[in-house]
Amino acid sequence: MNALKNSVQLIGNLGNDPEIVNLESGMKLAKFTIATSDSYKNAKGEKVEDTQWHNIVAWGKTAEIVENYLTKGKQVAVEGKLTHRSYENKEGEKRYITEIKCNEVLMLGK
């Protein structure tokens, strides 16, 4: 069961083209968002569409694949682990972010 600890798998569509950051160390970082959608019927029997947005980060070779092949609207499957971090913005306010550190990405669709 250790392999299942903190494991996330999502299938969704890219919200924007990935943001690529080339670090001084030579390491590459890719940041992107994917949307996952679900639908259900509410108490009135009306269909309701629920879309969730997920922040994804990829490093190294995975970031290179993201840079070369992923664009806005593409459907992808990502596998990784859930991470939480905080930072201070320019105004000194503490912000919190939840993101998925992507280990694998699989391009789906056309």
Side-chain angles (χ1 to χ4, degrees), residues 43-106:
K44 297 179 182 177
E46 302 165 329
K47 184 177 179 181
V48 177
E49 188 82 18
D50 180 35
T51 301
Q52 298 290 318
W53 288 92
H54 310 277
N55 297 310
I56 315 292
V57 294
W59 294 88
K61 293 286 186 189
T62 307
E64 290 176 21
I65 292 168
V66 169
E67 178 182 31
N68 292 326
Y69 298 104
L70 299 186
T71 56
K72 179 180 178 176
K74 293 270 187 179
Q75 187 180 47
V76 295
V78 296
E79 186 275 326
K81 68 179 186 175
L82 194 62
T83 61
H84 304 284
R85 61 184 174 87
S86 63
Y87 64 94
E88 284 191 14
N89 66 12
K90 293 176 185 174
E91 291 78 35
E93 299 169 330
K94 195 162 193 174
R95 299 287 186 185
Y96 299 90
I97 189 166
T98 300
E99 56 196 8
I100 296 163
K101 183 179 175 195
C102 179
N103 298 324
E104 290 187 47
V105 61
L106 177 64

Side-chain angles (χ1 to χ4, degrees), residues 16-65:
N16 287 308
D17 288 339
E19 175 188 343
I20 306 300
V21 179
N22 292 300
L23 303 174
E24 290 179 15
S25 64
M27 183 71 81
K28 192 169 289 226
L29 167 65
K31 300 178 187 179
F32 59 100
T33 58
I34 64 171
T36 56
S37 295
D38 192 18
S39 62
Y40 62 92
K41 290 192 178 183
N42 64 16
K44 297 179 182 177
E46 302 165 329
K47 184 177 179 181
V48 177
E49 188 82 18
D50 180 35
T51 301
Q52 298 290 318
W53 288 92
H54 310 277
N55 297 310
I56 315 292
V57 294
W59 294 88
K61 293 286 186 189
T62 307
E64 290 176 21
I65 292 168

